[in-house]
Structure formats: structure tokens, C-alpha cells
Amino acid sequence: MKPGLTLCCVASLLICVTARAQGDDSEQSGDERTDTETERQESDAPTAPATEGLPAARREVPDYDGRPPPGPPPEEAALFVPRALLAPLHFVFEYLVRRPLAWLFTTAEREHWDFIQLIPFAQVSPSWGIAPTALFDFGLTPSVGALLWANDVVLPHNQLLVHAAFGGDDFLRGTVADRQLLNTQTAIEVNAQAWQRPDQFFLGLGPIAQSAYTARYGQRRVGVDVGVRVQPWRASHFLVSMGAAGNELYDTDYLASGQRTMTDAVAHGWFPGVNGLPAGWPGYSVYRQRVEGSIDSRQLEPDATGGVRVEAHLEHAFDLADPLDRRWLLWGGGIGAFIDIDRGRTIGLFTMASLASRLGSRDIPFTELPDLGANLRMPGFLPGWIRGESAVLSVLEYRYPIGVSLGGFVTASVGNAFRSMFDGFTPGLLRMGFGIGIRSLGDPGQAFTLTLGIGTETFDEGLGVTTFRIVAGTLRGF
């Protein structure tokens, strides 16, 4: 290699190495200056809040199609009118009853408060015990009493209930009910009752009942029933029973202003179509055979939600003192559908009809006829208010949970009683009733309720409010 070329190559290599070293020094000093400036700027800047560990903020859903948001569901629109009409009562039950009770029972279950585990609110019933009872049905005689229950005492899988109630010298009641379970679906039931009370109502028979023409009477009754009950599927049931009872009817001094005794009211002609004293006065004895059943796709309470119910009943009865001339049939049925709106909140519509058909030459005792005021069917009316040889009723009901063993309800009903086979029926003769309340879930023999109800005149009379009813206490369902 030539010496000049070699010197040139060496010089070029030295220049490149020197330039690279200067560049590295420049970058390092530049990085140092940048880091220093950054540290100074960060120290001067305000401290940002820490976001580590917090969820990222949700962005709004983009409007992809430009359509407005959906409106309220149909069930909300359907409930607007009854909610508006019952808003004052709803406020009382929601904030003074439901919420305190929901807190009480939820806390009692969580904390295992044994003193609250009593019938009718117990989750697991003790083998035996005694509980006080009380029933205040304004317009009727209030009563207090005691309920004794005992399980597996007489025989294994046996349930014994004994109830006694007292409302004064003229109000006494005793009930003994025994249920022997043959298996998980079948039971033999025996029910014996003896009671007297002075506060029964009679406002005539048929659709035209007016509070200005109210008769009161007393009744004594002793009876026993024996039956076999089968619960084959969910809330479905089938019952075959027979029984006998003796009844005594009498005039009472349990009268409010403007009311009369039965004999006095009839003497003044208060009840058109009733020839003399009503059938069965002053007493009768009866033997009955009954078959009833239902197909109900809902679960048993307190797990009942939506479903369909179809029911029917047929009862043959006769007066033991006159079995040929005074005998009759009680028959009827109903159908309903219930929709689970949300988490145990259900809305249902149920329609039923009850009829009494005379088989002999004598009329049926009036106390055996269908009564829409009994068993809180139309909670605004007292027992005896709506009574006739036939009756029809439709109920729209909204139920909602309060606690594990307690539920609330709001009902609107329309119906009335008529003569034989709905003689004279027109839509204008129907009445309306509204109710709101709470009730314990489970065995109806130990049911507790607090119910407020109102009843109206017929559509033809303008649907003016004619009755108001408050029921509070333990119902005797066995």
C-alpha cells in the first residue's frame, strides 16, 4: 500500500472516532439538561390527584341510531292510576309500616333474635308453644286470645292447634284443629269449632244493600269437619270433606245508631223480597259433603311468584231436621293469572263466581249463602254486607315483598251478589272495593294481617264510598 493512502485512511478514522465521542458527550449533557429542566418543571407544577387503583371513568354510550331512550314499561303505566288513588295510604304503609318492619325482620334474622321467632313470623316453628292473638275488625267485636300449637305429640308427623278467643260475655270462641300428615303431600284434617258472637250483619239479599237499612243479629254455632287434603304439585290442592253443624240465630243488643234488630227491621219492611224473617231463622242444623280443588302453577308461599290458577268447588248440604225439603248445592270456581314483574313483585287478575242452588221446596238458610265480605274477599265490606244466592267477583292485586315472612298488597275489586243464577244482573249493579295492607306468608291458620279497605255503591248509584274497614290482628283460618 502506498504511504500517502495509508496516512489518509488513518486520519479519516481518527476524525470519525473523535466526532462520535463529541456527539456522545453532547447527547449526555443534553439528557442531563433535559432531566434537570423536567425535574424543575415537575416541582413547580401542582400535584395531580392519585388515580392508581380507581376504576376508569365510564364514557357515555354513543347514540348509534339517533332514537330516543325507551319509555317506562307497560306495567308501570298500568299501575299509575291505582298508585295515584292510593298514594296517601301507600305513604303510611311504606314509611310507617313496611320499612320499619322490613328492618326489624331482616335484623332479627341476621342477628338470630329468638324472641321474634314466634308464630306467625317464625322461620322454623318450635315443637310446641303458646302465642297471644288479637283481632280488631272495626265495626265488629274486638277479641283477644291464645293459640297453642304442638307438633309430634299425639303421633309422629302430627300437628295440633288449639285456639281460644274472648271478646266479652257474648263473644266466645274455641277451635281445635288436628292435622295428621300421611306423607309430604297428604294429610287428614279434623276441625271442631264452637262460638257465639252478637255482631252479625244483615242488609238483605241481592245487589241493593244500603247502610241506612242495617239489621244486626247474634249467632251461636257448634260444628265439626273431617277431610283429606292432598297437595300434589306446587300450590295446587285437592280436598274432600264432610261435616255437621248446629246454628242458633237471635236478636242482639249490639246496635249502632240507626240500626235495628233482625225482627224489628223485618217488621218495618226494610228488606224488599224477603218474605218475613229470612230462611234459617231462628236456627237450623246442617250436614255437608264438599269437594274442592285447584291447579296452581305458582310455588307455595313465601316463594310464590307468577303463574296460573284454576279452582272449583262443589258442596251438597241439607237441614238435618228437614232433609227432603231443605237441601241445596253450593258450587262455583275461578280462574286467574299472575305475572312476576320484578323480584317477587307480582300483579294478578282473578275472577270467581259462587252460586247456591235450592234442591228442595224450602229456601236455603241465609247464613249459608255466598258472602263477598267474608275472608276479606272484598276488603272494604264487612261479612254479611254482600250476600245472595249467586255472587261474582274480579280482583286486580299487586303484591310485593316486605320481609322473608311478610308481604304487602294493593287490591282493586269489582263484584256483587245477586238472586238465583245471577237473576237481574247488569254491569251497573256492580260495586267496587279497594284495599291496601300487609300480611304474613305461609299457613293461613296462623295468618296475620293489617288491612285498610273502602267499599263503594254500585255503578248506577255513582260509586260513592259507602263503607270503610280496618282489620288488624291474627285471622282464624283453620
Side-chain angles (χ1 to χ4, degrees):
M1 182 179 291
K2 294 181 180 181
L5 181 59
T6 301
L7 291 174
C8 290
C9 290
V10 172
S12 300
L13 180 60
L14 292 173
I15 293 172
C16 290
V17 172
T18 303
R20 178 63 180 269
Q22 291 176 352
D24 291 343
D25 294 341
S26 176
E27 290 177 1
Q28 183 176 1
S29 61
D31 292 340
E32 292 176 356
R33 288 194 301 271
T34 303
D35 293 342
T36 304
E37 293 175 358
T38 302
E39 291 175 359
R40 184 171 61 252
Q41 292 174 358
E42 290 180 351
S43 63
D44 295 338
T47 303
T51 59
E52 184 178 356
L54 295 179
R58 284 192 172 187
R59 66 183 182 89
E60 295 184 0
V61 178
D63 186 5
Y64 292 109
D65 52 12
R67 292 183 297 180
E75 58 268 17
E76 289 293 330
L79 291 172
F80 175 78
V81 174
R83 281 176 174 172
L85 293 175
L86 297 171
L89 293 178
H90 173 74
F91 175 84
V92 173
F93 273 85
E94 177 67 16
Y95 294 99
L96 301 183
V97 178
R98 190 192 73 82
R99 295 197 178 193
L101 286 176
W103 173 86
L104 174 64
F105 291 112
T106 301
T107 305
E109 181 184 9
R110 182 178 64 249
E111 303 296 334
H112 302 288
W113 292 352
D114 293 336
F115 70 88
I116 206 70
Q117 299 298 310
L118 296 174
I119 288 179
F121 306 112
Q123 297 302 303
V124 178
S125 176
S127 60
W128 73 276
I130 299 176
T133 65
L135 182 64
F136 300 92
D137 196 344
F138 292 85
L140 300 176
T141 303
S143 63
V144 296
L147 173 67
L148 165 68
W149 74 94
N151 298 329
D152 304 325
V153 173
V154 180
L155 292 171
H157 309 294
N158 183 268
Q159 299 173 349
L160 176 65
L161 294 171
V162 180
H163 180 250
F166 173 79
D169 294 340
D170 49 2
F171 185 113
L172 300 171
R173 184 183 184 96
T175 304
V176 178
D178 187 78
R179 181 183 302 166
Q180 179 63 50
L181 301 178
L182 303 181
N183 51 52
T184 57
Q185 299 177 337
T186 308
I188 299 176
E189 301 177 344
V190 180
N191 189 333
Q193 294 184 355
W195 54 268
Q196 68 171 14
R197 60 184 310 158
D199 54 356
Q200 306 288 59
F201 280 91
F202 185 75
L203 287 85
L205 303 177
I208 306 301
Q210 300 179 10
S211 58
Y213 300 96
T214 301
R216 305 296 289 267
Y217 67 95
Q219 183 175 4
R220 300 183 180 96
R221 182 182 179 92
V222 178
V224 61
D225 293 280
V226 180
V228 177
R229 182 182 298 271
V230 181
Q231 295 179 291
W233 177 64
R234 296 191 175 182
S236 305
H237 85 287
F238 183 76
L239 173 66
V240 178
S241 64
M242 64 179 68
N247 296 269
E248 179 186 356
L249 310 175
Y250 59 93
D251 284 329
T252 179
D253 56 2
Y254 193 90
L255 303 173
S257 176
Q259 298 176 349
R260 294 180 181 271
T261 63
M262 178 71 81
T263 55
D264 193 16
V266 170
H268 283 77
W270 275 13
F271 310 118
V274 178
N275 298 320
L277 291 166
W281 190 275
Y284 65 96
S285 56
V286 59
Y287 172 80
R288 70 183 78 250
Q289 299 170 321
R290 183 179 179 89
V291 178
E292 68 176 58
S294 67
I295 299 176
D296 197 329
S297 64
R298 298 174 296 172
Q299 298 288 346
L300 289 171
E301 291 183 337
D303 300 322
T305 55
V308 177
R309 178 180 176 88
V310 180
E311 66 177 38
H313 68 271
L314 174 65
E315 179 179 305
H316 174 249
F318 55 85
D319 190 335
L320 289 171
D322 192 0
L324 294 180
D325 291 333
R326 177 173 280 172
R327 50 195 176 93
W328 62 90
L329 289 177
L330 300 178
W331 55 286
I335 184 171
F338 308 85
I339 301 174
D340 188 4
I341 299 175
D342 178 38
R343 293 174 297 179
R345 302 175 187 271
T346 61
I347 185 169
L349 178 63
F350 190 82
T351 299
M352 59 160 290
S354 298
L355 301 98
S357 300
R358 188 180 67 181
L359 301 179
S361 59
R362 300 180 63 185
D363 290 335
I364 305 170
F366 75 96
T367 53
E368 302 291 326
L369 298 177
D371 182 358
L372 294 185
N375 300 323
L376 292 175
R377 291 178 177 177
M378 294 187 74
F381 294 94
L382 288 161
W385 242 91
I386 306 178
R387 178 182 281 153
E389 294 175 87
S390 57
V392 62
L393 175 66
S394 291
V395 180
L396 179 66
E397 183 176 53
Y398 171 62
R399 296 185 181 183
Y400 55 93
I402 294 178
V404 176
S405 303
L406 205 63
F409 63 89
V410 180
T411 65
S413 56
V414 57
N416 210 341
F418 299 88
R419 286 293 188 174
S420 178
M421 299 300 294
F422 303 105
D423 183 26
F425 172 84
T426 63
L429 291 178
L430 297 175
R431 301 174 180 271
M432 292 199 70
F434 302 92
I436 184 171
I438 60 175
R439 64 187 185 91
S440 60
L441 307 177
D443 191 343
Q446 304 157 10
F448 167 84
T449 187
L450 173 60
T451 302
L452 279 69
I454 59 175
T456 75
E457 298 173 338
T458 64
F459 281 86
D460 288 344
E461 295 171 323
L463 293 179
V465 175
T466 185
T467 63
F468 182 73
R469 187 178 183 187
I470 302 176
V471 183
T474 304
L475 298 176
R476 300 170 298 272
F478 57 87

